Amino acid sequence: MNNFFQKKYQKTVNSIAFYPAIIALGFLALCGLMITLDYSGQGKFIKGQLHWLRLKDASTARSIIAAIASGIISLTVFSFSMVMIVLNQAASQMSNRVLGQLIGNKFQQIVLGIYIGTIIYAFFLLSTIRDIDSGIYIPALSTYLLIFFTIFDIFLFIYFL
């Protein structure tokens, strides 16, 4: 029975989706922490001291986050379509050993995880913007961190190519 669990563990850890899933969960946790910071007294103090870190309009924040999410989705689809083309060519022209090395490439898995994590961060962040009678709740620090992630993703895309 122990051998069964070892095989399942090895299959899971060596899966192409293992690292992306772990990284995406990390981005989700980071988003939760950043939103908590945004609404805490410390976050309000930071936004009070640095006036350029404020977003006053909920629709502007929603537009920024939605544009980033759609852009990163397009970037992810393009990047990994290229990977699938390479895998298809490798599968038809080379041995199975080469294919296994291409699928097991940790760099590709990490890049995929960062892209997916950024998308999850954006969607989760988008769901937290409130425009209600008692006031507008915009997580500005989290939004600016998302903008930083997007810039990082663009440079990662260039390096990935």
Side-chain angles (χ1 to χ4, degrees):
M1 200 63 167
N2 192 19
N3 193 21
F4 172 77
F5 289 118
Q6 267 186 332
K7 285 182 181 179
K8 285 291 185 187
Y9 172 77
Q10 287 300 322
K11 187 175 182 181
T12 302
V13 170
N14 293 328
S15 167
I16 192 168
F18 180 71
Y19 287 109
I22 298 296
I23 293 169
L25 287 173
F27 270 82
L28 185 62
L30 177 64
C31 186
L33 289 173
M34 285 302 298
I35 290 168
T36 303
L37 174 66
D38 253 312
Y39 295 133
S40 71
Q42 199 174 26
K44 291 177 183 175
F45 176 76
I46 292 169
K47 290 186 272 189
Q49 295 298 317
L50 304 170
H51 298 289
W52 58 274
L53 281 178
R54 283 193 237 160
L55 290 171
K56 293 183 172 50
D57 186 22
S59 64
T60 301
R62 282 188 199 102
S63 297
I64 290 170
I65 296 168
I68 286 173
S70 63
I72 298 299
I73 287 171
S74 298
L75 187 74
T76 304
V77 168
F78 178 76
S79 297
F80 287 91
S81 293
M82 297 302 292
V83 169
M84 288 301 162
I85 290 169
V86 169
L87 288 175
N88 189 20
Q89 288 177 346
S92 66
Q93 296 175 359
M94 297 176 195
S95 73
N96 290 338
R97 291 181 191 170
V98 174
L99 186 62
Q101 289 174 350
L102 287 173
I103 290 174
N105 188 332
K106 300 292 185 232
F107 177 71
Q108 291 175 1
Q109 294 174 6
I110 290 170
V111 170
L112 179 62
I114 291 171
Y115 288 169
I116 292 172
T118 304
I119 294 166
I120 289 172
Y121 185 100
F123 284 151
F124 191 70
L125 185 61
L126 190 61
S127 70
T128 63
I129 297 174
R130 302 282 184 254
D131 193 2
I132 56 177
D133 294 336
S134 62
I136 298 172
Y137 297 103
I138 303 169
L141 296 174
S142 302
T143 303
Y144 282 109
L145 183 61
L146 177 62
I147 292 169
F148 170 77
F149 286 149
T150 304
I151 294 168
F152 178 75
D153 286 356
I154 291 168
F155 284 112
L156 189 61
F157 172 71
I158 293 168
Y159 184 71
F160 182 73
L161 289 180

